[in-house]
């Protein structure tokens, strides 16, 4: 049922967008020949007529469109009359008709083209205000994170004996404020015990330790099989040092550390907890140093226990990257007490999330977030359904409002086949002082429409892969 609700809400956003184009066109006397829900790919599920407008529902539901007579091929003279008689079509508008989009003033065209985006923004504001007024609260986007339970059975992490207790509030981890569980889990996973990557500085230090412990061994050349070497004690690696943006998922995590080879990983496991080792084969000194360098990145956790600050140092995970605690999050809300709060808090909520989406889009464009992280309607529906089930309809409505803003932002991009592309062509016409050849704009539009379809297929593949691999 929650999936159906989410699909309905997303479909509503598409309808609202196209209604914006339709209403603006009719306001300026432009005839709308077709109003399509879905894209004209594959079969048409439903077709009817409303005045001069043909209403269509297509099987490929990911999108929508409004079509003007300008989009149809115009024929002249007797050929047009004969075709009209044979197919019993209604009169095709002459090229100079005031009902054609092309014959409207540039400012009117711009309003018609941008009306869908405008409607998405208005609808997002409406949904947010409705949610705020109905539930008398809005989420701040942050949560208090608590330790719900510490797992003691089969837990090799030292969190068990650290002094942490169930009910403790987690204030920060490695200096990152724990405003949601994602940040905490991210730092823990990237600090995994035996993660298979090492820092070159640590490798150099380990090699120096080996030389000091084994003055009679030649570490400048390959060390021969059956050589016995004394091993330094395992020491922690450097703590994970990242920014808030990386911990929040707004920037891609990058590291200068290098991966161990398969052979070095095998050697690492053999050397664990040993004080000396007899080489089973000839080996390069650096390979030993690299194997010894992989240990754990110490985690520092700051807790709040009834107002008392407790600092846990040198915490480490087990070898699977698990710390062994169950988390509990309590979302922080802004209380809505009057109509003024409904307006100001709703606009503030949307503005904050719009900035975050814009930032995320920029990170994607600049490659700081990989394309594999792009997701579409399949994942959105799944995530939205889970949100409604877990947190209730308030968060479902707010997610829909954010998606509506996201739809507006995407459509404003200056890409042909999107509203922003049409606005770009209108701006070029204004600068050039003349209309751009229709065939040129049509060919460019078709090309980018094809690219858009390819991108949609790629995103759907990403979605399906993410669901199959239980990423969401």
């Amino acid at each position: 049922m929650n999936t159906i609700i989410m699909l309905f809400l997303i479909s509503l956003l598409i309808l609202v967008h196209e209604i914006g184009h339709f209403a603006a066109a009719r306001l300026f006397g432009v005839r709308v020949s077709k109003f399509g829900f879905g894209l004209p790919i594959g079969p048409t599920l439903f077709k009817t007529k409303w005045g001069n407008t043909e209403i269509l529902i297509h099987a490929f539901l990911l999108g929508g469109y409004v079509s003007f007579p300008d989009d149809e091929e115009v024929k002249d003279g007797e050929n047009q009359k004969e075709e009209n008689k044979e197919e019993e079509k209604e009169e095709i508008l002459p090229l100079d008709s005031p009902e054609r989009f092309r014959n409207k003033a540039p400012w009117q065209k711009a309003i018609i083209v941008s009306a869908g985006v405008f409607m998405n923004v208005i609808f997002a504001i409406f949904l947010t205000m409705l949610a705020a007024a109905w539930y008398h609260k809005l989420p701040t986007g942050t949560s208090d994170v608590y330790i719900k339970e510490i797992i003691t059975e089969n837990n090799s992490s030292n969190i068990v004996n650290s002094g942490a207790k169930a009910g403790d509030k987690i204030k920060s981890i490695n200096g990152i404020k724990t405003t949601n569980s994602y940040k905490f889990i991210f730092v823990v996973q990237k600090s995994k015990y035996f993660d298979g990557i090492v820092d070159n500085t640590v490798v150099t230090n380990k090699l120096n330790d080996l030389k000091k412990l084994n003055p009679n061994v030649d570490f400048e050349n390959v060390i021969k099989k059956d050589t016995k070497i004394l091993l330094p004690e395992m020491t922690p690696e450097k703590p994970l040092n990242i920014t808030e943006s990386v911990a929040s998922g707004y920037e891609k995590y990058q590291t200068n550390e290098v991966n161990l080879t398969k052979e070095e990983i095998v050697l690492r496991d053999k050397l664990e907890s040993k004080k000396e080792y007899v080489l089973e084969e000839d080996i390069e000194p650096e390979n030993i140093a690299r194997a010894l360098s992989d240990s754990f990145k110490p985690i520092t956790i700051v807790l709040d226990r009834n107002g008392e600050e407790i600092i846990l140092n040198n915490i480490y995970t087990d070898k699977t990257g698990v710390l062994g605690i169950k988390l509990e999050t309590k979302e922080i809300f802004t209380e809505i007490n009057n109509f003024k709060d409904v307006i100001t808090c709703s606009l503030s909520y949307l503005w904050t999330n719009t900035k975050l989406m814009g930032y995320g889009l920029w990170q994607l464009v600049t490659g700081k977030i990989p394309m594999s992280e792009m997701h579409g309607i399949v994942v959105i529906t799944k995530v939205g359904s889970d949100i409604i089930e877990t947190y209730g309809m308030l968060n479902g409505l707010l997610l829909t409002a954010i998606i509506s803003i996201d739809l507006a932002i995407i459509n404003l991009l200056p890409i042909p086949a999107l509203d922003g592309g049409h606005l770009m062509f209108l701006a070029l016409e204004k600068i050039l002082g003349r209309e751009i050849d229709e065939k040129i704009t049509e060919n460019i539009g078709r090309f980018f429409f094809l690219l858009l379809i390819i991108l949609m297929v790629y995103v759907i593949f990403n979605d399906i892969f993410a669901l199959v691999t239980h990423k969401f």
Side-chain angles (χ1 to χ4, degrees):
M1 186 63 189
N2 292 327
T3 301
I4 294 172
I5 291 171
M6 201 63 218
L7 278 172
F8 170 76
L9 290 172
I10 293 172
S11 301
L12 201 57
L13 297 183
I14 298 171
L15 281 174
V16 164
H17 183 91
E18 300 308 329
I19 286 171
H21 291 308
F22 178 86
R26 296 305 301 135
L27 177 67
F28 294 118
V30 174
R31 181 180 294 188
V32 178
S33 55
K34 292 180 182 179
F35 184 101
F37 181 67
L39 296 178
I41 300 171
T44 298
L45 303 178
F46 177 79
K47 184 189 298 185
T48 189
K49 198 82 173 178
W50 185 47
N52 292 321
T53 305
E54 191 176 21
I55 311 295
L56 306 103
I57 299 178
H58 300 287
F60 195 83
L61 294 173
L62 305 182
Y65 64 94
V66 167
S67 177
F68 306 123
D70 307 61
D71 303 319
E72 299 169 357
E73 193 172 332
V74 178
K75 299 184 179 180
D76 298 316
E78 295 300 322
N79 289 337
Q80 177 181 321
K81 292 178 183 178
E82 288 299 322
E83 190 169 301
N84 286 345
K85 288 179 182 179
E86 288 175 10
E87 300 184 17
E88 296 183 351
K89 291 183 178 179
E90 65 179 75
E91 179 188 0
I92 294 180
L93 295 174
L95 291 176
D96 59 352
S97 171
E99 288 189 83
R100 282 190 175 274
F101 176 81
R102 64 179 293 174
N103 296 326
K104 295 300 175 180
W107 66 271
Q108 292 173 319
K109 292 179 183 178
I111 290 176
I112 294 170
V113 168
S114 58
V117 168
F118 176 77
M119 282 296 290
N120 277 131
V121 173
I122 294 300
F123 191 61
I125 295 172
F126 167 76
L127 281 179
T128 308
M129 288 185 176
L130 174 66
W134 187 266
Y135 292 95
H136 304 291
K137 61 182 181 179
L138 283 175
T140 60
T142 61
S143 301
D144 287 330
V145 183
Y146 295 87
I147 297 176
K148 184 177 182 180
E149 179 186 350
I150 298 176
I151 300 169
T152 56
E153 187 177 353
N154 299 321
N155 187 359
S156 59
S157 163
N158 66 347
I159 192 74
V160 175
N161 301 314
S162 66
K165 294 181 180 180
D168 288 347
K169 178 182 173 181
I170 303 173
K171 293 178 65 177
S172 68
I173 179 167
N174 281 24
I176 303 292
K177 291 183 180 179
T178 313
T179 54
N180 55 56
S181 59
Y182 175 85
K183 292 181 182 180
F184 183 86
I185 294 169
F186 183 89
V187 173
V188 168
Q189 290 180 341
K190 294 302 180 184
S191 301
K192 177 183 174 182
Y193 196 111
F194 280 7
D195 60 0
I197 56 176
V198 293
D199 184 275
N200 281 324
T201 303
V202 177
V203 174
T204 300
N205 292 336
K206 284 294 177 186
L207 189 57
N208 290 331
D209 291 341
L210 283 167
K211 291 178 179 179
K212 290 177 183 177
L213 286 170
N214 302 275
N216 298 323
V217 177
D218 182 9
F219 282 94
E220 303 304 322
N221 298 294
V222 175
I223 305 175
K224 298 299 181 181
K225 179 182 176 181
D226 297 327
T227 302
K228 184 172 77 172
I229 57 174
L230 299 178
L231 303 175
E233 291 185 4
M234 177 183 286
T235 53
E237 298 180 55
K238 294 179 179 179
L240 186 72
N241 184 20
I242 55 173
T243 64
E244 285 276 352
S245 294
V246 172
S248 300
Y250 300 133
E251 287 186 29
K252 183 180 178 181
Y253 171 69
Q254 294 177 319
T255 177
N256 293 322
E257 294 180 312
V258 293
N259 292 306
L260 296 183
T261 64
K262 291 180 180 179
E263 293 75 18
E264 288 169 344
I265 289 174
V266 171
L267 181 60
R268 176 201 67 191
D269 295 340
K270 289 179 180 180
L271 300 181
E272 184 185 5
S273 302
K274 290 185 177 180
K275 293 184 178 181
E276 60 181 42
Y277 179 70
V278 177
L279 298 184
E280 298 175 358
E281 59 184 347
D282 295 353
I283 193 168
E284 293 281 352
E286 189 171 307
N287 294 131
I288 304 174
R290 283 159 62 90
L292 289 168
S293 298
D294 189 14
S295 57
F296 66 91
K297 294 179 176 66
I299 301 169
T300 299
I301 301 173
V302 179
L303 303 175
D304 183 334
R305 184 181 299 161
N306 300 322
E308 179 187 358
E309 186 175 273
I310 298 170
I311 301 175
L312 309 180
N313 292 309
N314 294 318
I315 302 298
Y316 55 81
T317 73
D318 65 15
K319 293 177 184 178
T320 63
V322 173
L323 199 57
I325 62 174
K326 289 183 179 179
L327 300 177
E328 180 181 22
T329 59
K330 295 180 181 179
E331 196 167 11
I332 302 172
F333 292 91
T334 299
E335 296 297 322
I336 307 296
N337 299 311
N338 50 55
F339 185 66
K340 180 184 176 182
D341 288 346
V342 170
I343 296 173
T344 57
C345 293
S346 295
L347 294 177
S348 176
Y349 176 84
L350 283 176
W351 177 241
T352 299
N353 282 280
T354 299
K355 287 190 293 184
L356 289 176
M357 282 187 291
Y359 182 72
L361 180 62
W362 175 249
Q363 296 296 99
L364 186 66
V365 170
T366 56
K368 292 183 179 179
I369 295 178
M371 288 284 287
S372 58
E373 295 299 315
M374 282 187 67
H375 294 290
I377 190 169
V378 178
V379 161
I380 289 171
T381 303
K382 171 65 169 61
V383 171
S385 174
D386 291 345
I387 285 174
I388 293 173
E389 183 176 351
T390 305
Y391 300 104
M393 199 60 207
L394 167 64
N395 290 69
L397 289 172
L398 293 174
L399 175 62
T400 307
I402 291 170
I403 295 170
S404 190
I405 292 290
D406 189 41
L407 189 62
I409 293 172
I410 296 297
N411 267 285
L412 271 180
L413 294 177
I415 299 171
L418 296 178
D419 295 341
H422 293 300
L423 289 172
M424 178 182 66
F425 283 129
L426 288 173
L428 284 174
E429 288 179 3
K430 184 70 174 176
I431 294 170
L432 297 173
R434 59 178 175 81
E435 287 188 357
I436 299 173
D437 189 284
E438 282 189 28
K439 289 186 178 180
I440 294 175
T441 59
E442 284 177 11
N443 289 334
I444 294 174
R446 287 194 187 101
F447 174 74
F448 277 93
F449 179 75
L450 178 61
L451 290 182
L452 188 62
I453 295 300
I454 293 171
L455 179 62
M456 289 174 69
V457 171
Y458 172 79
V459 169
I460 291 172
F461 173 80
N462 268 357
D463 287 356
I464 295 170
F465 182 77
L467 295 180
V468 169
T469 56
H470 304 289
K471 185 176 178 180
F472 292 95

